[in-house]
Amino acid sequence: MLNQGQLRTLPRPFDLVGVVREAVEFFQPLARAKSLTLTLAGGADEPLPANVDPDRMFQVMSNLLANAIKFTPSGRRHSS
């Protein structure tokens, strides 16, 4: 039984890159509206197996991307 305020997760095998790609695609219109380019790089073409809850992972990625777009006034950042 869960206590109040606890979150139930359902970990299962899935492709982590696929969930990240889905989140990036979801936020493309918001990024374009601010004249930002949102890209996924660094092995984005290869699956990355993981055993976590894909719904929670999408939620985490959504929060990160929404904040990145919200707090990026213009320009672009590159990681080396």
Side-chain angles (χ1 to χ4, degrees):
M1 176 177 246
L2 293 176
N3 292 327
Q4 185 176 0
Q6 288 185 324
L7 177 67
R8 178 176 295 205
T9 61
L10 300 170
R12 62 185 183 269
F14 76 102
D15 174 23
L16 181 60
V17 172
V19 171
V20 173
R21 185 180 296 115
E22 184 181 331
V24 167
E25 289 172 5
F26 181 83
F27 280 94
Q28 289 290 357
L30 185 60
R32 278 194 298 271
K34 285 193 67 178
S35 299
L36 299 173
T37 302
L38 186 58
T39 58
L40 179 60
D45 294 332
E46 298 183 27
L48 180 60
N51 191 29
V52 298
D53 186 325
D55 295 329
R56 297 293 74 80
M57 184 57 67
F58 184 84
Q59 183 180 20
V60 168
M61 289 304 306
S62 294
N63 289 341
L64 290 171
L65 291 170
N67 283 335
I69 292 167
K70 180 179 180 179
F71 294 110
T72 301
S74 64
R76 50 193 268 189
R77 299 224 172 200
H78 295 277
S79 61
S80 300

